Amino acid sequence: MTHHMTRYMLSFVLFIGWIPCLIGGSGGSLTDIYDSPNRNSDGNLPEYAHRGKIQPEFVPTHSGNVTAALGKTALLNCRVRNVGNKTVSWIRHKDTLLLAIGRYTYTSDYRFKALHKVMAEDYLLKIQDVQMDDAGLYECQVSSTPPLSHHIYLEVAQPYTEIVGGKEIYLDEGSMMNITCLVKDSPQPPNYIFWYHNDKSISYDSPRGGVSQITEKGDVTVSYLLVQGARLTDSGLYRCQPSVGTPATTNLHVIRGNDPQKWLPNSSRQPALSVFIVLATLFINIIRQ
């Protein structure tokens, strides 16, 4: 008798597990909103079909706050266990705008996209080309009774770049050239940093030789542009271009020596010298009169 009762109970549980699928069907937009509770990817029934009704719950350790760089992509994750046939929605808190339900993106803003795999616990909200006004609270809501909510804060960082030494750098001819670039306030270190000289990408295997770059990534990423034996032709505008944030520039002047009068080319000093000679001659003539 007990064996027959067990078989009947299992059949009943299996029937209950199939009801949401029969209502939602196998296609159409409902499959973008509800997870099918029929079977897992391995063909077995989900755990809640065996254990009875279990309330959904958030997993805070996998649903934390997010910091994204301005203009980059933010990925907000909300992990929910035991969803069953409930829906999970994303709502922007500041204007209560419904952004997504399940895998269906509800907003017309193309930058937002809902990401979710069937039977997975993670419900993601992808925001491309993040802007400063995207910062704030986002609500992950489960359609239980009463509804369950978890808030995730998106912080938008604005990385900035600077070159040590300022906008003008003076260097003696023949010395080692070291231009240092700092990238600050970036959520992650930049993927790359490119250097340019007079708007041309710097080649590290050019016939010029003696040119190298060293980059140290961290909370503040530092990139060193090293050039051996600075030449007058190395003068010009240098630009540090990281993968995040805005570029930084400096104007490098390679001078002929420590004498400030030699900071300018000979052709630039000759007109000033000629004017001085003319004025001195006129002054002597006036005195003699």
Side-chain angles (χ1 to χ4, degrees), residues 160-164 180-184 193 220-223 240 248:
Y160 72 95
T161 310
E162 65 174 320
I163 291 180
V164 177
T180 304
C181 178
L182 307 178
V183 182
K184 301 179 179 180
I193 295 179
V220 176
T221 296
V222 185
S223 180
C240 172

Side-chain angles (χ1 to χ4, degrees), residues 11-23:
S11 299
F12 177 74
V13 171
L14 291 173
F15 174 75
I16 293 298
W18 276 91
I19 289 178
C21 181
L22 294 174
I23 295 175

Side-chain angles (χ1 to χ4, degrees), residues 24 46 63 81 98 106 123 129 192 241 277 287:
S63 310
R81 290 175 180 161
L98 178 62
Y106 198 81
Y123 293 80
D129 189 21
Y192 59 82
Q241 178 74 68
I277 293 174
I287 293 177

Side-chain angles (χ1 to χ4, degrees), residues 34 49 51 128 143 151 175 194 214:
Y34 296 96
R51 298 192 303 172
Q128 296 177 309
S143 63
H151 293 92
S175 61
F194 293 149
I214 300 175

Side-chain angles (χ1 to χ4, degrees), residues 250-279:
T250 188
N251 197 17
L252 177 73
H253 306 271
V254 178
I255 58 179
R256 288 189 170 87
N258 295 324
D259 187 355
Q261 293 183 358
K262 297 180 180 179
W263 288 10
L264 297 175
N266 290 332
S267 59
S268 300
R269 299 200 311 269
Q270 288 176 351
L273 182 60
S274 301
V275 171
F276 175 78
I277 293 174
V278 171
L279 291 176

Side-chain angles (χ1 to χ4, degrees), residues 92-158:
R92 187 164 60 193
H93 197 264
K94 65 180 180 182
D95 55 4
T96 63
L97 177 65
L98 178 62
L99 300 172
I101 303 177
R103 289 176 289 160
Y104 175 68
T105 305
Y106 198 81
T107 177
S108 59
D109 190 336
Y110 73 93
R111 299 181 304 116
F112 291 84
K113 185 177 181 180
L115 301 174
H116 174 66
K117 294 182 179 180
V118 176
M119 303 310 303
E121 296 180 341
D122 292 326
Y123 293 80
L124 297 99
L125 181 66
K126 183 179 181 180
I127 309 175
Q128 296 177 309
D129 189 21
V130 171
Q131 302 300 310
M132 295 303 297
D133 59 2
D134 291 327
L137 283 176
Y138 289 79
E139 181 179 346
C140 175
Q141 186 180 100
V142 180
S143 63
S144 56
T145 305
L148 298 176
S149 295
H150 176 74
H151 293 92
I152 296 175
Y153 188 85
L154 173 63
E155 179 181 356
V156 180
Q158 192 168 3

